[in-house]
């Protein structure tokens, strides 16, 4: 393998793929970055076995020659040293050349490095892409969907399957569901996909998706997603992002969503969020962040929280509309705050089914998002 | 390949058959002394599962076989003690890893070396995982001390006992590697397994300690109390004697046994075969009775030293007792 490359583009690519490289790994070859050179360009791969990021640098981009390719080949280089060396080298161009016995020589300007590498044959194989199982959606939509669901995944490992977000595709509608068994978030979106393509119970670790959203751009360029048996692949321009899939069955959440609300209210999101945040200032000290919500006879809503050792807070909120049975309910303020922050609409609609049943929060103008929160049982 | 597991022919045949008939257990415990081929067999079993070329066997050529051998296969995990113990966090990481689907295939294997080094918490955490393994997962625990493993773990594994290698087998292998037969045979007897024996043969100190043992034995019968000075000046002053202590006593015991074999006319049993002349010379001076008593004393000393005793006093005592017979 031998090539000369523009240093800038190599630095950027190393920065992208090394996001996936972890120093804490039991598999020695994963401490490295894989380099594969072919006549079209070079591919860099980083992986911690949970996620893998692959980026392609073409020989020529927008008329500018990036790589002067001399000879194809492959090697795995220790990511820490390789990244640091390329960053610190002088000049605009770097020459990389493999010698015998898995070592390479990096030359730039007057400086020359010899670095020991590992055999690229030892590197894990990433799944092959099947072109007929591709679904596409805009980058910014995917990013929003992740932001609106990832906060609800379980943080404890007691039920590993709940640390992931469940993906489902039916009739070209992609659904994300995340739950930690106290609250649930669901986000739907229409995507481009072939008619025959449906899947469900594909559970992707929340952590991987948070990493993915760091790479996703804030524009409406389409990204392609491919689901395979063991991994999913997200294709963003020249970057391929792979994540392993969690093993197991995600709980069936369709039945726990109540159909008919007994108390319905529409609230101004910002105002209500402010009230809950203030009420949780005192509640935070107590267990469960408990905040209470009571409907009054004069069609207003009272939010209050009492922690005997600290004090109490009462705040009146005027809903846009309120109908149905009177209600007294308590819930974890943190869950409510998370849900309200994830909703981008001005007005939200909350539908309660009694003090002991879960309640639903949705944007009033948009039915693609649903948050469900379980109430807290109190002695009052 | 399974044929390469020459250390444990029976077990390798058994595992090969279960792989062929798709009757592999979800958890194995390989118990046996150091050097009895546990790790090799565990790797072989993993290769047998993942190999692309041969069904139920390994080709040792394909990328899967090579990556398993180099520890780089993403679906084969190795757990070694961190420091002295296997900690609960390692088991937790393992469980987390196994909540994911395999990286490349449906199968996942973990090999835990020195399973007896698990802390109680780690072992208890592993229990449920052993009992209800995720689909496609297989556990292989290796241990040299099956007695220190919790009974609850034992009852969840299929236990395979690895018998120690016969010294003759080790000697043959060492001789094939080009080591002198005399040295090879002694090393094979005092070591546990082929690797240790090979290491012995390649270090200088092993030959030195053996020389000192023969010297000391000669001094005890020829020069009386002078042997105490030999002990002090040439043996106890050695820089690394603390590590060599057990080896020293084992070699001394073996030497006396050889002398006894000579007196009994069973020369074919003698291990230090390259020292026949010295054996002839010393054996008569020692006498049968004294040799038998002497060996008993050495074993007694070994037992004492395994407790918290003063090394110098113990060895001086031993040398004096060995002289008493004359």
């Amino acid at each position: 393998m031998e090539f000369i490359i523009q240093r800038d583009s190599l630095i950027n690519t190393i920065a992208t793929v090394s996001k996936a490289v972890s120093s804490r790994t039991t598999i020695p070859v994963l401490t490295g970055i894989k380099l594969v050179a072919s006549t079209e360009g070079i591919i860099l791969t980083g992986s911690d076995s949970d996620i893998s990021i692959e980026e392609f640098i073409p020989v020529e981009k927008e008329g500018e020659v990036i790589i002067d390719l001399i000879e194809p080949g492959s090697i795995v280089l220790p990511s820490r040293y390789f990244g640091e060396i390329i960053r610190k080298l002088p000049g605009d161009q770097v020459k990389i050349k493999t010698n015998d016995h898995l070592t390479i020589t990096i030359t730039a300007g007057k400086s020359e490095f010899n670095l020991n590498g590992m055999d690229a044959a030892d590197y894990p194989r990433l799944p092959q892409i099947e072109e007929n199982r591709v679904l596409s959606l805009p980058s910014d939509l995917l990013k929003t969907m992740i932001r609106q669901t990832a906060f609800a995944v379980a943080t404890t490992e007691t039920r590993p399957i709940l640390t992931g977000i469940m993906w489902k595709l039916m009739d070209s509608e992609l659904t994300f569901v995340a739950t930690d068994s106290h609250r649930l978030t669901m986000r739907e979106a229409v995507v481009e996909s072939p008619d025959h393509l449906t899947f469900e119970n594909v559970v992707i670790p929340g952590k991987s998706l948070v990493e993915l959203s760091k790479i996703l751009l804030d524009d409406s360029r389409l990204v392609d997603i491919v689901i395979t048996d063991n991994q999913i692949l997200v294709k963003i321009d020249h970057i391929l992002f792979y994540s392993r899939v969690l093993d197991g069955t995600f709980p069936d959440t369709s039945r726990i969503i109540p159909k008919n609300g007994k108390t319905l209210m529409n609230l101004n999101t910002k105002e209500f969020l402010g009230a809950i945040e203030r009420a949780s200032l005192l509640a935070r000290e107590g267990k469960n962040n408990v905040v209470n919500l009571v409907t009054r006879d004069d069609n207003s809503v009272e939010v209050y929280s009492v922690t005997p050792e600290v004090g109490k807070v009462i705040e009146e909120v005027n809903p846009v509309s309120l109908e149905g049975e009177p209600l007294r309910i308590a819930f974890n303020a943190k869950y409510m705050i998370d849900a309200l922050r994830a909703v981008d609409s001005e007005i939200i609609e909350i539908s309660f089914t009694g003090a002991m049943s879960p309640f639903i929060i949705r944007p009033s103008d948009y039915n693609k998002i649903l948050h469900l929160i379980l109430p807290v049982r109190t002695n009052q | 390949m399974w044929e390469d597991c020459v250390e444990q022919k029976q077990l390798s045949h058994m595992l090969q058959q279960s792989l062929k008939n798709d009757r592999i257990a979800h958890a194995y415990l390989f118990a046996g002394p150091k050097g009895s081929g546990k790790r090799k067999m565990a790797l072989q079993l993993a290769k047998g599962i993942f190999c692309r070329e041969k069904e139920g066997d390994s080709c040792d050529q394909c990328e899967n076989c090579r990556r398993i051998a180099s520890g780089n296969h993403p679906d084969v995990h190795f757990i070694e003690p961190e420091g002295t113990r296997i900690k609960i966090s390692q088991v937790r990481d393992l469980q987390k890893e196994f909540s994911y689907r395999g990286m490349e295939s449906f199968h996942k294997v973990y090999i835990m070396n020195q399973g007896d080094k698990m802390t109680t918490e780690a072992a208890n955490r592993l229990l449920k995982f052993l009992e209800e393994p995720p689909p496609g997962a297989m556990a292989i625990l290796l241990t040299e001390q099956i007695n220190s493993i919790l009974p609850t773990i034992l009852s969840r594994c299929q236990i395979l006992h690895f018998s120690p290698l016969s010294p003759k087998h080790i000697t043959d292998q060492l001789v094939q590697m080009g080591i002198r037969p005399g040295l090879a045979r002694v090393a094979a007897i005092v070591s546990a397994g082929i690797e240790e024996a090979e290491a012995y043969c390649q270090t200088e100190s092993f030959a030195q300690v053996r020389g000192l043992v023969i010297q000391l034995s000669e001094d005890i019968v020829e020069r009386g109390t002078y042997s105490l000075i030999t002990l002090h000046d040439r043996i106890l002053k050695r820089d690394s004697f603390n590590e060599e202590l057990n080896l020293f006593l084992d070699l001394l015991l073996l030497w006396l046994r050889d002398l006894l074999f000579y007196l009994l006319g069973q020369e074919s049993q003698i291990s230090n075969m390259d020292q026949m002349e010295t054996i002839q010379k010393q054996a008569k001076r020692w006498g049968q009775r004294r040799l038998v008593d002497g060996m008993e004393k050495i074993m007694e000393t070994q037992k004492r030293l395994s407790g918290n005793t003063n090394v110098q006093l113990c060895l001086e005592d031993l040398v004096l007792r060995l002289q008493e017979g004359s």
Side-chain angles (χ1 to χ4, degrees):
Chain A
M1 184 176 77
E2 186 175 334
F3 57 83
I4 296 168
I5 188 169
Q6 296 292 333
R7 201 166 65 94
D8 289 354
S9 64
L10 188 58
I11 291 175
N12 290 339
T13 306
I14 292 174
T16 309
V17 301
S18 50
K19 284 195 181 90
V21 181
S22 140
S23 55
R24 265 187 81 244
T25 174
T26 49
I27 301 170
V29 78
L30 291 185
T31 56
I33 290 177
K34 184 169 81 159
L35 248 85
V36 179
S38 67
T39 42
E40 285 103 49
I42 63 167
I43 300 171
L44 270 73
T45 315
S47 172
D48 67 353
S49 87
D50 295 350
I51 59 168
S52 313
I53 303 177
E54 198 169 282
E55 185 166 354
F56 175 72
I57 310 177
V59 172
E60 218 181 273
K61 196 156 87 182
E62 288 152 15
E64 190 191 350
V65 176
I66 297 176
I67 309 169
D68 235 348
L69 199 74
I70 303 173
E71 197 186 302
S74 61
I75 196 162
V76 177
L77 296 172
S79 83
R80 230 183 67 216
Y81 296 110
F82 184 51
E84 286 288 308
I85 289 171
I86 300 298
R87 214 171 306 142
K88 296 259 159 75
L89 280 176
D92 295 335
Q93 286 196 322
V94 184
K95 182 180 167 191
I96 294 177
K97 180 180 188 304
T98 46
N99 312 321
D100 317 343
H101 268 90
L102 302 174
T103 60
I104 60 155
T105 309
I106 306 172
T107 13
K110 288 175 181 164
S111 110
E112 180 176 311
F113 280 88
N114 277 307
L115 195 60
N116 296 334
M118 288 170 275
D119 192 351
D122 284 348
Y123 209 79
R125 302 283 169 285
L126 293 167
Q128 297 299 310
I129 308 161
E130 285 174 55
E131 293 295 344
N132 61 338
R133 292 174 60 89
V134 180
L135 61 109
S136 316
L137 72 164
S139 171
D140 52 354
L141 174 63
L142 180 59
K143 197 167 178 170
T144 310
M145 287 176 80
I146 294 171
R147 178 176 64 83
Q148 288 176 335
T149 47
F151 64 87
V153 301
T155 48
T156 55
E157 295 281 338
T158 39
R159 286 180 71 188
I161 194 81
L162 295 186
T163 60
I165 298 177
M166 197 270 282
W167 290 26
K168 190 167 82 179
L169 181 75
M170 202 168 273
D171 302 331
S172 284
E173 188 163 62
L174 181 68
T175 312
F176 283 16
V177 183
T179 176
D180 63 0
S181 76
H182 298 289
R183 48 136 165 219
L184 177 145
T185 304
M186 197 159 88
R187 176 74 161 91
E188 293 166 338
V190 176
V191 298
E192 282 175 34
S193 71
D195 293 338
H196 59 89
L197 183 62
T198 57
F199 58 79
E200 57 177 350
N201 192 46
V202 175
V203 189
I204 299 146
K207 227 176 62 197
S208 305
L209 290 175
V210 171
E211 276 306 317
L212 169 64
S213 68
K214 287 182 195 160
I215 305 178
L216 287 169
L217 302 166
D218 281 310
D219 56 31
S220 55
R221 233 179 294 175
L222 286 184
V223 296
D224 292 343
I225 298 174
V226 187
I227 313 268
T228 68
D229 287 343
N230 296 326
Q231 305 209 23
I232 66 147
L233 159 66
V234 181
K235 199 172 161 193
I236 315 153
D237 279 346
H238 288 309
I239 303 174
L240 300 180
F241 179 96
Y242 295 85
S243 167
R244 274 211 282 171
V245 175
L246 283 164
D247 203 8
T249 313
F250 203 77
D252 178 17
T253 51
S254 60
R255 272 184 234 157
I256 58 168
I257 298 168
K259 293 276 178 308
N260 304 309
K262 287 179 185 162
T263 315
L264 273 174
M265 58 178 80
N266 280 294
L267 292 151
N268 181 307
T269 313
K270 261 197 193 139
E271 209 180 295
F272 189 51
L273 176 61
I276 299 287
E277 275 176 337
R278 282 187 289 278
S280 77
L281 289 178
L282 296 186
R284 203 165 289 165
E285 301 286 321
K287 285 179 196 163
N288 275 341
N289 282 322
V290 176
V291 166
N292 300 273
L293 184 144
V294 187
T295 54
R296 286 201 202 141
D297 294 339
D298 61 351
N299 266 357
S300 68
V301 173
E302 187 182 294
V303 175
Y304 73 93
S305 173
V306 184
T307 307
E309 313 89 74
V310 186
K312 66 174 183 177
V313 49
I314 302 180
E315 181 158 341
E316 190 186 298
V317 182
N318 289 316
V320 179
S321 74
L322 172 66
E323 53 191 87
E325 297 172 10
L327 176 84
R328 176 178 284 274
I329 196 166
F331 51 82
N332 185 329
K334 188 183 170 294
Y335 297 160
M336 181 61 96
I337 293 169
D338 286 344
L340 293 176
R341 281 189 185 151
V343 173
D344 294 327
S345 300
E346 216 168 286
I347 309 284
I348 48 132
E349 181 191 281
I350 311 183
S351 147
F352 297 94
T353 341
M356 289 304 157
S357 308
F359 56 93
I360 300 172
I361 307 159
R362 284 172 179 276
S364 61
D365 54 345
Y366 190 63
N367 63 356
K368 299 284 187 200
I369 306 176
L370 180 143
H371 296 279
L372 178 135
I373 297 174
L374 260 68
V376 178
R377 205 184 283 265
T378 53
N379 299 328
Q380 290 162 359
Chain B
M1 274 171 265
W2 288 108
E3 293 94 74
D4 293 340
C5 292
V6 283
E7 290 92 346
Q8 309 290 338
K9 285 210 171 98
Q10 245 182 330
L11 292 181
S12 86
H13 182 71
M14 197 202 92
L15 285 173
Q16 189 181 2
Q17 285 304 315
S18 14
L19 204 57
K20 208 161 137 194
N21 302 328
D22 199 19
R23 297 184 69 87
I24 282 286
H26 62 274
Y28 284 102
L29 180 75
F30 290 179
K34 200 170 164 183
S36 52
K38 299 185 294 292
R39 196 186 167 85
K40 192 169 167 187
M41 187 83 85
L43 289 176
Q44 176 57 34
L45 187 55
K47 285 182 194 167
I49 291 171
F50 287 102
C51 180
R52 294 189 175 179
E53 298 296 323
K54 293 191 180 174
E55 190 77 20
D57 200 345
S58 67
C59 61
D60 294 324
Q61 302 288 326
C62 73
E63 53 195 32
N64 275 355
C65 287
R66 292 214 326 256
R67 283 188 295 168
I68 290 169
S70 64
N72 277 325
H73 197 286
D75 291 331
V76 179
H77 300 270
F78 292 91
I79 303 142
E80 303 268 354
E82 251 174 34
T84 55
R85 307 302 298 266
I86 293 176
K87 301 186 180 80
I88 187 162
S89 61
Q90 289 173 275
V91 177
R92 204 179 293 136
D93 288 348
L94 180 75
Q95 282 173 325
K96 195 168 163 222
E97 166 61 40
F98 273 72
S99 66
Y100 290 9
R101 296 253 176 88
M103 181 97 174
E104 291 181 5
S105 65
F106 178 68
H107 293 287
K108 277 185 282 185
V109 173
Y110 63 97
I111 299 173
M112 183 182 277
N113 201 11
Q114 304 192 41
D116 50 280
K117 294 286 192 311
M118 268 189 287
T119 60
T120 319
E121 294 78 26
N124 281 324
R125 193 167 172 120
L126 192 67
L127 281 182
K128 186 146 183 295
F129 197 54
L130 276 176
E131 193 166 61
E132 294 167 13
M138 185 177 77
I140 307 174
L141 310 184
L142 315 180
T143 179
E144 284 163 30
Q145 286 161 328
I146 192 169
N147 295 327
S148 357
I149 288 192
L150 290 184
T152 39
I153 292 225
L154 292 180
S155 67
R156 283 163 171 83
C157 298
Q158 189 173 50
I159 301 169
L160 300 184
H161 288 279
F162 281 54
S163 45
L165 291 186
S166 71
K168 190 174 173 312
H169 185 108
I170 300 179
T171 314
D172 291 349
Q173 294 239 334
L174 290 178
V175 171
Q176 271 182 17
M177 290 178 208
I179 290 158
R180 280 184 290 118
L183 194 66
R185 192 154 170 179
V186 176
I189 291 179
V190 293
S191 63
I194 187 102
E195 276 134 39
E196 199 185 354
E198 197 190 332
Y200 274 152
C201 292
Q202 276 153 4
T203 54
E204 234 170 78
S205 60
F206 180 72
Q208 284 173 1
V209 173
R210 187 162 83 115
L212 287 170
V213 163
I214 297 168
Q215 175 76 53
L216 182 71
S217 154
E218 191 173 322
D219 287 352
I220 286 171
V221 283
E222 301 287 348
R223 303 172 74 176
T225 39
Y226 184 80
S227 54
L228 279 177
I229 294 169
T230 312
L231 178 71
H232 269 266
D233 285 357
R234 303 201 41 196
I235 300 174
L236 285 171
K237 277 197 181 153
R238 282 178 67 84
D239 290 336
S240 50
F241 189 68
N242 277 339
E243 290 97 71
E244 291 165 355
L245 177 60
N246 288 328
L247 177 66
F248 169 77
L249 288 170
D250 283 342
L251 284 174
L252 187 60
L253 189 62
L254 189 67
W255 179 250
L256 295 199
R257 195 177 75 147
D258 280 351
L259 296 180
L260 189 61
F261 275 139
Y262 178 77
L263 288 181
L264 295 171
Q266 301 194 14
E267 286 172 28
S268 61
Q269 302 261 27
I270 288 175
S271 315
N272 293 285
M273 340 187 247
D274 52 344
Q275 302 285 336
M276 283 312 280
E277 260 176 55
T278 331
I279 291 176
Q280 278 174 17
K281 214 167 71 192
Q282 284 191 18
K284 296 251 162 56
R285 301 275 300 170
W286 273 88
Q288 257 185 49
R289 187 69 248 155
R290 236 180 111 189
L291 283 169
V292 175
D293 288 348
M295 284 159 76
E296 199 182 315
K297 277 161 200 156
I298 294 170
M299 284 191 272
E300 201 179 299
T301 310
Q302 282 175 329
K303 207 165 129 195
R304 281 192 204 164
L305 284 171
S306 67
N308 194 15
T309 44
N310 182 309
V311 175
Q312 187 184 338
L313 287 175
C314 252
L315 291 184
E316 281 174 2
D317 178 64
L318 174 68
V319 170
L320 288 171
R321 279 162 184 269
L322 288 178
Q323 280 175 1
E324 267 169 15
S326 58

